Amino acid sequence: MILALMLPGAAAGQDLPRPRSPVAVAAAFLPRVQATLDRLDVAAEALEIRANRCSSPGGDRDDIFHIWIGMRGTTAAPAGPQLRRLHAEWRAAGWTLTRMRQLRNGGVNLAAREPGTGNGYAFDSGFAAGPQHVAGFFDTPCFRNPDGPVRFGRLRPELGARQ
């Protein structure tokens, strides 16, 4: 009963988050993020991958985590039209759109959840005229580390070791 109060959905009869190691989740998620960046022709200038704690009612657990990826990059052409195209593609594919804001300068702030995976994707283009700078924030749903407590924090891009 205590466990049911600690995890989202557990009280409703749902199982614990799926067991997978942080490195395995990040290794599977990073190529999906990169494929989206490639479709937008975004060159990443900075990229950070983290194993972050998932909060749950009744208290946090050291073995429940999600992967977060943050990115700052540039595009060869203004980002707004590319992000509007991505918005249309996501909408047509049944993604859950959580934000679509068009800025006066032609930029776009866009966020959505991918069907089937629950992965979140968010892009914010620059606020200068004709923005070519893009920030991206990507996250997975929660998972449970089968090996016990997670060392939360930054993962190296190659995912094999901590920085």
Side-chain angles (χ1 to χ4, degrees):
M1 179 63 178
I2 291 172
L3 186 60
L5 296 174
M6 292 175 61
L7 293 172
Q14 294 180 358
D15 295 328
L16 289 171
R18 293 175 297 191
R20 288 190 65 197
S21 76
V23 169
V25 173
F29 186 41
L30 185 57
R32 297 178 79 83
V33 169
Q34 187 59 55
T36 301
L37 296 177
D38 290 347
R39 289 177 52 229
L40 294 174
D41 195 25
V42 172
E45 297 172 342
L47 181 78
E48 185 170 327
I49 305 166
R50 299 182 63 82
N52 288 342
R53 182 182 309 275
C54 284
S55 296
S56 58
D60 294 330
R61 289 181 45 156
D62 290 339
D63 63 337
I64 307 293
F65 71 96
H66 74 274
I67 297 298
W68 176 91
I69 300 175
M71 178 285 298
R72 181 184 73 241
T74 58
T75 60
Q82 295 181 67
L83 292 173
R84 281 189 286 280
R85 177 181 46 81
L86 186 61
H87 171 258
E89 291 173 10
W90 284 350
R91 187 167 64 205
W95 288 45
T96 302
L97 299 166
T98 58
R99 180 179 59 198
M100 176 52 176
R101 178 177 170 223
Q102 297 194 53
L103 306 174
R104 286 183 221 171
N105 67 351
V108 171
N109 296 343
L110 172 64
R113 287 266 168 218
E114 182 179 21
T117 68
N119 294 332
Y121 296 75
F123 290 100
D124 293 331
S125 61
F127 289 95
Q132 291 178 257
H133 296 280
V134 176
F137 307 97
F138 317 97
D139 63 84
T140 68
C142 296
F143 290 87
R144 180 179 52 83
N145 186 17
D147 299 324
V150 172
R151 289 185 48 208
F152 297 108
R154 191 173 188 178
L155 299 171
R156 289 182 190 257
E158 64 273 8
L159 306 176
R162 298 232 167 238
Q163 284 187 335

